[in-house]
Amino acid sequence: MKDTLKRYLQEGRDALLWKLDGLGEYDIRRPLTPTATNLLGLVKHTAAVEAEYLGVVFGRPFPEAIPYLAADAEANADMWATAEETRAHHVELYQRIWAHSDATIDALDLDAPGTVPWWRPGNREVTLHQILIHMIAETHRHAGQADIVRESIDGAAGLSAGGSNLPETDPKWWAAYRERVEQAAHAHRDGTDS
């Protein structure tokens, strides 16, 4: 079971990093939602979250300082990259974090206890199994956000470079499909929902 959980976690990690491929610095950093969601920020945030959940929670903190996790860090500092921070830095940091996380996973049994100090009292005591499920969900959630952000940049969408998990069609088909979806939405516009 542990190998299966690790595989699903790694698939999410790989999907998230794949969303950066082929894009310039501006496109991986630019905010594309009202809350400033951006591709490199999603990588930075997911790496930080993983360092905490598969490190601190099990008494195995990631050995490098992560300044945007400090108590006095600016709000949302983990959700975007400053002009001085490089893509290579955040990708390589994420890869080092997941190597550290994998070492934690390999060293502990699935029922190994941990404590999530930032969760509310009564829910803080966890197992590695619970946290692996949590991290799989968290990583895939952010990979999904990255998929939508990436599609809005250049139309690239899907699960991975080797398999999009989308119908094999052409742009004309997608335009017609989108129009059908739009028409269905219009049919229920202006409070006509039942």
Side-chain angles (χ1 to χ4, degrees):
M1 177 183 289
K2 193 190 289 188
D3 287 342
T4 301
L5 295 170
K6 280 179 67 177
R7 180 172 49 85
Y8 276 100
L9 178 58
Q10 189 61 50
E11 286 174 0
R13 292 164 171 164
D14 292 341
L16 183 55
L17 287 186
W18 175 62
K19 296 302 172 183
L20 302 177
D21 285 358
L23 293 178
E25 290 299 316
Y26 172 71
D27 282 334
I28 66 170
R29 296 164 181 272
R30 68 177 164 140
L32 287 161
T33 69
T35 57
T37 303
N38 63 91
L39 293 171
L40 193 55
L42 287 167
V43 170
K44 184 178 178 180
H45 169 75
T46 306
V49 168
E50 185 169 321
E52 296 282 275
Y53 278 108
L54 288 167
V56 172
V57 167
F58 296 99
R60 298 170 56 94
F62 184 66
E64 299 173 41
I66 302 176
Y68 43 90
L69 290 179
D72 63 347
E74 173 188 341
N76 262 17
D78 63 325
M79 294 299 296
W80 64 289
T82 66
E84 296 77 26
E85 295 173 337
T86 67
R87 171 197 321 233
H89 167 77
H90 287 297
V91 168
E92 291 164 8
L93 177 62
Y94 189 23
Q95 291 169 332
R96 289 193 306 276
I97 286 169
W98 82 43
H100 182 264
S101 298
D102 287 350
T104 296
I105 296 165
D106 292 342
L108 302 176
D109 292 330
L110 286 175
D111 61 354
T115 303
V116 184
W118 52 91
W119 285 5
R120 69 178 183 268
N123 287 353
R124 292 180 177 163
E125 302 310 312
V126 296
T127 65
L128 177 61
H129 185 234
Q130 288 173 282
I131 293 302
L132 273 170
I133 298 295
H134 181 83
M135 276 311 309
I136 290 166
E138 179 91 6
T139 303
H140 282 269
R141 174 178 172 246
H142 294 313
Q145 291 171 310
D147 196 32
I148 292 168
V149 170
R150 176 66 189 255
E151 185 175 358
S152 70
I153 293 170
D154 67 357
L159 182 63
S160 67
S164 73
N165 215 27
L166 296 170
E168 300 279 333
T169 62
D170 59 32
K172 185 177 176 182
W173 184 92
W174 281 111
Y177 170 75
R178 187 187 184 291
E179 182 57 32
R180 285 180 56 217
V181 174
E182 181 70 25
Q183 288 173 7
H186 277 284
H188 291 279
R189 191 170 75 185
D190 303 319
T192 58
D193 293 349
S194 53

